[in-house]
């Protein structure tokens, strides 16, 4: 693979990849890696020993841009990678519908290929662990992928994962009954749903947030919602509701409150304006046998895009979990009698 300079600038590189799904369709994705350049490294402090890798999956109608998150993982001693999945971000193609996927399993091939590239890219480093991290719909994709490939992932971290519809599974079943017939006949049909740009307003530096976003990659009103995509998400929710029986340790981070509605509210600056966090918290407990739930006061939908003091709290909680679960399983932390 050929790594080239990434849009995030110094310390980031990316490479395109094509992966063939079980349906025979070739899909294009982009893998991003974080590598601190020698000229920017602090020579007075030796970097931590790299003993594992983290692969991040973005949410729907989104892409990877959070350099602070990459820096956090580097400081913890883990190589950081992110995947802009097909029809998203760096992987967008002019002749393809943005954000569209007909089956969440269609992401499997590109995730598997990305992990293969990561292993080859880290050939000179200790093998260590692989942590899969996902936000929102990417969190749903990550959880489902981990359930199908339990031997490939040692840890799972979910940032406000979209595990269920607002309200309850009854709401999802009712919506699914209406969408499924359209999805079967005309899957790329655009559904006319209310458009809200409140979350974008709270994070974008062009509005009232602090993050510089490429609006071609992260549209203010998101990509059009298509019947086939929504049906695929509903199918994923159904799988989660039946239980994924994950064996690896799982961390789920969400805001402590939600703020929904068709009119802007000031509370949307310090709550999840996209998902129902109470439903997500309940569903998270059914993911597996070892699940930690962290509810962050004042957090946005992506807790790591929240106000500085709030995300400082989120990173502290994440670091505590890393130290408790991941670092304690590093080879240098095991005694000679451990196996």
């Amino acid at each position: 693979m050929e790594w080239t300079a990434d849009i995030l600038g110094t310390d980031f590189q990316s490479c395109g990849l094509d992966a063939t799904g079980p349906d025979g369709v070739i899909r294009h994705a982009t893998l991003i890696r974080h590598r601190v350049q020698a000229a920017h490294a602090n020579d007075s402090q030796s970097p931590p020993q790299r003993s594992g890798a983290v692969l991040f999956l973005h949410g729907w109608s989104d892409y990877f841009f959070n350099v602070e998150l990459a820096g956090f993982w580097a400081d913890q001693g883990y190589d950081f990678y992110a995947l802009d999945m097909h029809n998203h971000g760096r992987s967008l193609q002019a002749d393809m519908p943005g954000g569209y996927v007909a089956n969440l399993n269609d992401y499997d091939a590109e995730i598997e290929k990305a992990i293969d590239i990561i292993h080859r890219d880290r050939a000179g480093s200790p093998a260590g662990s692989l942590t899969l991290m996902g936000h929102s719909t990417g969190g749903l994709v990550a959880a489902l992928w981990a359930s199908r490939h339990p031997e490939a992932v040692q840890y799972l971290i979910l940032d406000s994962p979209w595990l269920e519809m607002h309200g309850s599974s009854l709401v999802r079943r009712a919506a699914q009954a209406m969408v499924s017939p359209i999805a079967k006949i005309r899957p790329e049909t655009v559904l006319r749903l209310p458009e809200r740009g409140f979350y974008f307003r709270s994070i974008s530096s062009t509005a009232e947030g602090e993050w510089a976003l490429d609006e071609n990659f992260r549209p203010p009103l998101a990509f059009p919602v298509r019947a086939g995509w929504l049906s695929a998400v509903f199918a994923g929710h159904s799988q989660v509701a039946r239980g994924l029986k994950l064996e690896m340790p799982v961390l789920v981070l969400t805001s402590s409150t939600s703020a929904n509605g068709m009119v802007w509210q000031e509370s949307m600056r310090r709550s999840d304006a996209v998902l129902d966090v109470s439903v997500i918290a309940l569903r998270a407990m059914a993911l597996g046998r070892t699940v930690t739930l962290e509810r962050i006061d004042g957090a946005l939908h992506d807790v790591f895009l929240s106000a500085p003091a709030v995300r400082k709290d989120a990173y502290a909680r994440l670091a505590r979990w890393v130290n408790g679960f991941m670092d304690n399983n590093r080879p240098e932390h095991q005694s000679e009698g451990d196996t």
Side-chain angles (χ1 to χ4, degrees), residues 33-77:
R33 73 178 181 185
H34 177 247
R35 287 287 186 277
V36 177
Q37 301 301 306
H40 297 84
N42 185 353
D43 295 333
S44 64
Q45 182 179 358
S46 59
Q49 176 66 46
R50 298 296 187 227
S51 60
V54 175
L55 175 61
F56 176 83
L57 305 181
H58 57 78
W60 180 67
S61 195
D62 208 346
Y63 71 110
F64 176 70
F65 60 86
N66 192 340
V67 299
E68 187 177 89
L69 180 65
F72 166 85
W73 283 111
D75 290 343
Q76 297 297 313

Side-chain angles (χ1 to χ4, degrees), residues 1-195:
M1 305 300 297
E2 181 180 354
W3 295 95
T4 59
D6 186 65
I7 58 174
L8 295 179
T10 304
D11 300 340
F12 290 89
Q13 302 86 42
S14 58
C15 67
L17 62 91
D18 292 323
T20 305
D23 55 2
V25 176
I26 299 174
R27 298 179 175 89
H28 180 74
T30 308
L31 184 63
I32 304 99
R33 73 178 181 185
H34 177 247
R35 287 287 186 277
V36 177
Q37 301 301 306
H40 297 84
N42 185 353
D43 295 333
S44 64
Q45 182 179 358
S46 59
Q49 176 66 46
R50 298 296 187 227
S51 60
V54 175
L55 175 61
F56 176 83
L57 305 181
H58 57 78
W60 180 67
S61 195
D62 208 346
Y63 71 110
F64 176 70
F65 60 86
N66 192 340
V67 299
E68 187 177 89
L69 180 65
F72 166 85
W73 283 111
D75 290 343
Q76 297 297 313
Y78 293 85
D79 290 325
F80 180 85
Y81 299 81
L83 184 67
D84 273 14
M85 296 179 283
H86 72 268
N87 292 345
H88 286 86
R90 299 162 178 80
S91 308
L92 281 170
Q93 297 176 307
D95 59 340
M96 299 297 290
Y100 183 73
V101 67
N103 188 319
L104 297 184
N105 291 7
D106 288 348
Y107 291 124
D108 281 22
E110 61 209 72
I111 294 173
E112 291 169 24
K113 189 160 187 178
I115 290 175
D116 179 63
I117 294 172
I118 290 171
H119 288 322
R120 283 187 278 143
D121 190 49
R122 301 186 69 252
S125 303
S129 61
L130 176 66
T131 299
L132 193 58
M133 183 176 186
H135 165 60
S136 197
T137 309
L140 174 62
V141 171
L144 294 173
W145 193 90
S147 72
R148 292 191 294 271
H149 305 82
E151 73 291 341
V153 180
Q154 286 70 58
Y155 305 98
L156 181 65
I157 299 174
L158 307 177
D159 171 9
S160 300
W162 191 16
L163 303 178
E164 185 57 275
M165 283 289 290
H166 286 272
S168 69
S169 59
L170 294 177
V171 175
R172 170 181 28 94
R173 292 190 190 113
Q176 193 167 15
M178 293 186 288
V179 172
S180 291
I182 304 174
K184 290 178 181 178
I185 300 172
R186 298 188 301 276
E188 294 189 22
T189 297
V190 174
L191 302 178
R192 297 190 178 279
L193 301 176
E195 295 181 338

Side-chain angles (χ1 to χ4, degrees), residues 255-271:
S255 178
S256 60
T257 58
S258 292
N260 296 302
M262 297 308 300
V263 179
W264 170 260
Q265 307 166 41
E266 284 301 305
S267 60
M268 291 176 175
R269 300 183 193 276
R270 53 186 182 276
S271 55

Side-chain angles (χ1 to χ4, degrees), residues 221-302:
L221 296 178
F223 294 125
V225 175
R226 300 178 186 272
W229 171 81
L230 191 55
S231 181
V233 171
F234 287 155
H237 290 166
S238 297
Q239 293 178 57
V240 172
R242 292 193 294 270
L244 299 185
K245 299 179 180 179
L246 299 173
E247 290 293 330
M248 73 284 291
V250 181
L251 172 64
V252 178
L253 305 106
T254 73
S255 178
S256 60
T257 58
S258 292
N260 296 302
M262 297 308 300
V263 179
W264 170 260
Q265 307 166 41
E266 284 301 305
S267 60
M268 291 176 175
R269 300 183 193 276
R270 53 186 182 276
S271 55
D272 190 325
V274 179
L275 299 181
D276 185 334
V277 296
S278 295
V279 173
I280 300 307
L282 179 64
R283 194 61 85 210
M285 291 297 101
L287 288 173
R289 298 202 300 168
T290 307
V291 180
T292 304
L293 175 65
E294 292 281 5
R295 304 188 71 164
I296 315 297
D297 288 340
L300 298 175
H301 176 51
D302 185 337

